[in-house]
Amino acid sequence: MNGKVDWEYAREAVGDSPELLLELVEIFFTEYPKLITGISTSIQSEHCVDLRRFAHTLKGSLRYFGKTQAGELSHRLELMGRDEQIEGATELFGELQSELDTLLPELTAFAASHPSDPDA
């Protein structure tokens, strides 16, 4: 499993609708910065309930793009929050950020090659 998007899975998840997939990518770009900030703040403040919630939401947002390493790392952070075990979360969060750095260019390229219809 790597950080790349599984485009076949993503297309199947939206019924082969490029418009819907583009909408999901655009929503992801709007939401993920808030989620990353929330995860970071939760780890720094050792607030496990928030860590679980933010990581769970990020995991859910990533699920449309297939089984990615970023999704797996989000899940692991979610479990750490659930289990109130914050030790090692900073390192895991660093890995998550690196994986997102490999995923985001693919999503950006998809969005650039499928511009929104301004008349829609």
Side-chain angles (χ1 to χ4, degrees):
M1 189 173 13
N2 60 26
K4 304 295 184 200
V5 174
D6 180 345
W7 290 110
E8 183 177 336
Y9 177 90
R11 283 188 292 276
E12 287 176 13
V14 296
D16 208 23
S17 169
E19 296 83 13
L20 182 53
L21 187 53
L22 177 61
E23 187 176 334
L24 290 173
V25 169
E26 290 172 344
I27 291 169
F28 181 77
F29 279 133
T30 300
E31 295 300 317
Y32 96 88
K34 299 175 216 171
L35 299 172
I36 290 298
T37 299
I39 291 170
S40 177
T41 302
S42 300
I43 291 170
Q44 290 171 7
S45 65
E46 298 187 5
H47 198 278
C48 293
V49 172
D50 284 347
L51 173 59
R52 181 184 123 327
R53 181 172 49 90
F54 286 119
H56 174 80
T57 304
L58 181 60
K59 176 188 79 175
S61 297
L62 289 164
R63 78 180 181 274
Y64 295 105
F65 310 124
K67 287 192 175 203
T68 63
Q69 186 64 23
E72 174 59 28
L73 292 166
S74 298
H75 180 68
R76 289 173 53 196
L77 284 166
E78 175 189 5
L79 295 177
M80 292 176 92
R82 181 197 71 191
D83 296 341
E84 298 184 7
Q85 175 53 271
I86 206 86
E87 188 176 331
T90 299
E91 294 79 12
L92 205 58
F93 180 62
E95 290 179 47
L96 172 60
Q97 289 179 300
S98 293
E99 287 299 322
L100 285 172
D101 287 345
T102 68
L103 198 70
L104 294 174
E106 279 194 58
L107 297 176
T108 300
F110 175 83
S113 67
H114 296 81
S116 297
D117 181 357
D119 298 326

